[in-house]
Amino acid sequence: MNKIICACGHENPEGTVLCGNCGRPLTEEAENLKLVDMRYEGSARRSQTYNKSIVDKIWNFFSSVRVGVWLIVIILVAAAIGTILPQVLYVPATVEADIAAYYERVYGTFGKIYYELGLSDLYGSWWFQTLIGMLGISLIVASLDRVIPLYKSLKKQRTRRHESFMKRQRLFAIGENKLGEETLTRSEQKLTELGYHVKREDGAVLGERGRFSRWGPYINHLGLIIFLFGVMLRALPGFYVDETMWIREGETRAIPETPGFYLESKEFILETYDKDQADDVFDEAIDRVGTIASNYQTDVVLYKKPEDALPGQTDKLEEVKKDSIQVNEPLKFDGFAVYQMDFRLDELRTMHFDLSNKASGESLGELSIDLVEPETHYDLGNGAEVELLRYYPDFSGFEDGEPQTKSPVPNNPAFLVKMTTPETPEGETSFVAIKQTVEPFGENEFKLEFKNVDTRDVSGLTIRKDKTLWILALGGLIFMIGVAQGSYWNHRRIWIHETKDGRLAVAAHTNKNWLNVKKDLDAVTEAASLPPYDDQQDLEALEEKKDGEKSS
Amino acid sequence: MTLVSISGNLLFIAFVCYLVATLFFGGAVKGSKTETTNFEKRWGRIGIVVTIIGFISNLGYFVTRWIAAGHAPVSNLFEFTTAFGMMIVGAFILIYFLYKTPLLGLFALPIAIIIIGFASMFPRDINPLIPALKSYWLYIHVITAALGESILAMSAVAGLIYLTKNIDLTKKSKQRFWLEAVMFTLVLTLGFVAASSTFKFMDYEASFNYIDKEQKAEEITYDMPPIFGMNEYEALTPGTMEPLAETPPIVNAKKLTTVTWSLIFGIVLYGLIRLIIRKPISALLQPLAKKANSQLMDEIGYRAVLIGFPVFTLGALIFAMIWAQEAWSRFWGWDPKEVWALITWLFYAAFLHLRLSKGWQGEKSAWLAVIGFIIIMFNLIAVNLIIAGLHSYA
Amino acid sequence: MARTKQKRLIIRTSILVVLVAAIVYTIYTSATKEKIEVLGIGDEAPNFKLVDLDGEEHRLSDYKGQGVFLNFWGTWCKPCAKEMPAMDRQYEVFKDQGVQTLAVNIAQSDFEVQRFTDQYGLDFPVVIDKTKSVMEAYNINPLPTTMLINSEGKIEKIITGEMTEQDIASFMELIKPE
């Protein structure tokens, strides 16, 4: 690697634009520029100095801001495509085949193509995750590549810079030294007053302020890196639990993936805004929308099984606490959180029937069938009894003459019963379902007549454990610190020195917010009678000045 | 007078103040070249005073509505958009005191007015909070996000001024076309306001039965003449317009009709304006914009993003994620609103990188700022009204 | 000079390799996450205690030293019903050869389970997991699922889906104690 030796004698690494010692432009390009690029103090970005091997080439690829911006834009566009149609997570189907059918049915050919291309599960796809991974690498490599040289440059920057450096700064003045010896002292004083850190040596003064803000971008990148790291950790077992459970009022169930914890649902409550009770202010809205939910919650009791107990043993459960799980108020225990997510109202619980004579309509008695734990015999007294032969909680039709049930959930209960009455001592068999009665052995005299039903509600809860949350929070916090540090403060420097021919040269630079540094420079100019400066980038102002000079 | 009606009146007063202030800022700008004569200074001063009065009245609306409803008035589309318009005015006032530019007001206030007007087309009734919104995070997340977005909006205003001043409108070019396209879009928004107001004034209503995309029978009521009918529609209200075409079940014909009517009104409005002023709107505004200092507009545009980006990140992403974790058990679910907030964030991150590292200043930066605002508006309008999700409380 | 170049190459290569490896690992695991079983072959089968229809308690540890054919089922599950008779026959064959059969019903009513066992004339013990805690402990998802537990109490094999009589015979053979 070749070093570039500056006229001042300093050795600079290859690729340096401005001499690290005196600031002279080292390349022809830099010399031809009216205003010099101050981004990395003219120091060489590491990747510019080494690009021999394949590793270096890959490194340089990820270090490039252009590549970084392209990655951001591609991710941005990809993410937008994922919002055109709902993602699989929000589709009411769980099996692959159902999902595919849903997209085609509801969204037509476009939906079918969308699904086939994998766009319906875009954010979980390997290529999207790869893009994010590449952005992560870019963050790390690009930051390392820049922050190290920048730190070194700023640390060893000299007070006195070469004139060619000064005149290539955006704010520059050269002119008469009105106060002679006093100038630098007065400048020093004023700069210190304005909060600058002042160094004076060799007939030159450097006032610097807010250098810490330069580290802002690198700190916010660090925050992002930590955040992405936290996201990656979820892939490791044990860090992340995401389960759902449906629990009915009165049920006690083991909580999925939580060792030894059980939940009993005492009650599910749904409250809506009642026009009479709610504030009058809400009347119009309630009229327009109809029912507005005001609260849904599940009142639960959390149990833990004792140390020596085994799964399945539910007699010795210890109560841990009672809680009401509401939206925004999850039940928290042992690193887990249980959220109120969903609910189903009015699942059938107990069905009440009358055993009645079909001809006369006379009832011989009532029976209530508990759909959770049905009995085998129901004695109605006065010699009548009903024997429950078979129970089908979710009747789905007949197959080879046999009634079928498609799930254990009492969505469509059906019963095969044998009714015995004093008038029919041999018993009559009947198949009773909702809105359907089948009498397989010929016409019966009696039937079960449906009276009414008790229902209960079901709560849909989500169980979550996320050990990565604190890492994500830390990443977010560091990001905010870095971005505030970089955005709300700026790095300002003012150089003043006596030229060899007895004049005064003044230059100033800031990485952002030129208005402020101009105000400071105005103050120092006034205090030390410095020559007036020009903003060499504001062509319009320069034009005006020229016009002004011409006419005067 | 109830608190609610006081609140509504205060909003109206604010609206009027902004209109008046716009005129004063216009007068301040129209003067001589350098905006520094006493005449302009006085007009500018009156303008900012009227703006501040309007802003205080707007804050008054916000506070009284908060008291009346019992919760922060940011819980539905009307409330949020109105708050957003208010914060744009607030952001403008802040920048005015930093840079003293009446021209900014001339562009920023009309945009705030259009936004508040747009907001008023949606149901204004105060609604009680649904369970998911019952959290103090409602205030923290939504208000901070609106604040961040309004500051970012100022960069678009400065960018727009920069473009209006610097694009050569005498020659045909892509830039000239797109600048006028932006103006056209603003007029379209007015078209929506005009269409909604006209039909509301007529108390128009047309009900239909139809079959939705899940093959269920549903009913829907249009508040504008139905240009498009829903899937397998059946008219319920006699004497209303017969739809010109029927849409497939996945398309909401009512929304399509609203958009079409807005387009019609907007195009007519734009046509009238063009006829009256005999040139593109950008050409009308250019002489005013020419008074601006390009460098200053560029600086304001950039600074607005610098100040607004952290606030936006904090409000729209960080607070949002914390609240989502508490309410929905997951801090990020890739639902459309969240994704578009991320897209907005990524876009402004790209903006900052292009500006700081690639030296994209001046016109390029101005275009990016305008595009950024369009993305924010897309999130507010399209994602809320068209792409439904967990998040759209419209 | 060559040394610093060398050092730089090593540093850069190691950083890139670590990053790429981490990312590939993450993407791979998230793609296969659903298929990873919490409980795998070779793991110790969790002990449990459930009550059968006669009121008797059954613990997995009761069968220590024997192989256990642990079948999870429900009455609505057709493949479960289909394989039950075959299971019953093989139970008879192997019960004196040191392989026990235990069927765990997922939280249904006593009535349904009793009727089912009566209808199919099942002789092996049938227990009901009322709170689904055993189902959770074994991370059972689809039904039927059968856990083959060997005489040392470790999981030999996990079978999801219907089994033929031949399958059942060979599985029971597999967990016969030596």
Side-chain angles (χ1 to χ4, degrees), chain B residues 272-315:
Chain B
L272 278 173
I273 294 176
R274 285 294 291 258
L275 256 156
I276 297 175
I277 65 176
R278 310 286 203 95
K279 49 182 148 173
I281 300 183
S282 17
L284 178 71
L285 295 170
Q286 193 170 65
L288 293 167
K290 283 250 187 261
K291 306 295 174 61
N293 178 321
S294 300
Q295 185 77 336
L296 182 64
M297 285 300 131
D298 185 61
E299 168 114 358
I300 293 178
Y302 169 54
R303 255 194 115 182
V305 175
L306 260 192
I307 300 176
F309 184 72
V311 180
F312 178 78
T313 310
L314 195 61

Side-chain angles (χ1 to χ4, degrees), chain C:
Chain C
M1 186 34 55
R3 258 223 308 260
T4 28
K5 209 152 103 170
Q6 180 82 303
K7 197 168 84 161
R8 194 132 292 143
L9 187 65
I10 297 177
I11 295 179
R12 288 187 176 188
T13 317
S14 23
I15 293 179
L16 285 174
V17 163
V18 164
L19 291 177
V20 172
I23 292 174
V24 169
Y25 173 76
T26 311
I27 298 179
Y28 175 72
T29 12
S30 76
T32 56
K33 206 203 280 231
E34 280 84 61
K35 299 156 199 154
I36 292 181
E37 286 133 15
V38 174
L39 220 51
I41 295 177
D43 287 337
E44 177 122 4
N47 198 0
F48 58 82
K49 185 178 92 160
L50 290 173
V51 178
D52 71 15
L53 293 166
D54 299 318
E56 276 184 45
E57 284 179 359
H58 293 261
R59 264 174 257 255
L60 183 64
S61 46
D62 295 341
Y63 302 103
K64 190 112 192 223
Q66 301 189 66
V68 180
F69 188 90
L70 191 64
N71 175 277
F72 291 85
W73 66 283
T75 62
W76 72 92
C77 148
K78 295 211 208 327
C80 308
K82 280 219 205 103
E83 65 189 13
M84 282 293 184
M87 263 174 63
D88 196 47
R89 287 193 289 273
Q90 291 306 312
Y91 160 72
E92 297 292 346
V93 170
F94 280 90
K95 71 175 179 198
D96 299 316
Q97 294 188 43
V99 177
Q100 297 306 321
T101 305
L102 193 56
V104 179
N105 176 280
I106 307 294
Q108 289 190 277
S109 60
D110 291 348
F111 177 86
E112 287 165 278
V113 177
Q114 186 68 64
R115 282 282 181 257
F116 188 91
T117 52
D118 289 344
Q119 182 184 359
Y120 287 87
L122 302 176
D123 289 318
F124 51 77
V126 176
V127 291
I128 308 181
D129 185 9
K130 293 279 184 196
T131 58
K132 296 192 181 165
S133 49
V134 181
M135 180 182 131
E136 291 298 340
Y138 278 82
N139 203 42
I140 305 291
N141 210 341
L143 293 179
T145 299
T146 304
M147 293 272 174
L148 294 183
I149 303 169
N150 61 29
S151 45
E152 278 128 49
K154 300 242 189 323
I155 297 180
E156 188 77 31
K157 204 171 160 84
I158 302 172
I159 305 112
T160 52
E162 197 184 326
M163 302 172 284
T164 65
E165 184 149 2
Q166 237 177 325
D167 291 332
I168 300 175
S170 58
F171 289 143
M172 291 197 180
E173 185 72 42
L174 199 61
I175 49 174
K176 225 162 62 163
E178 299 309 309

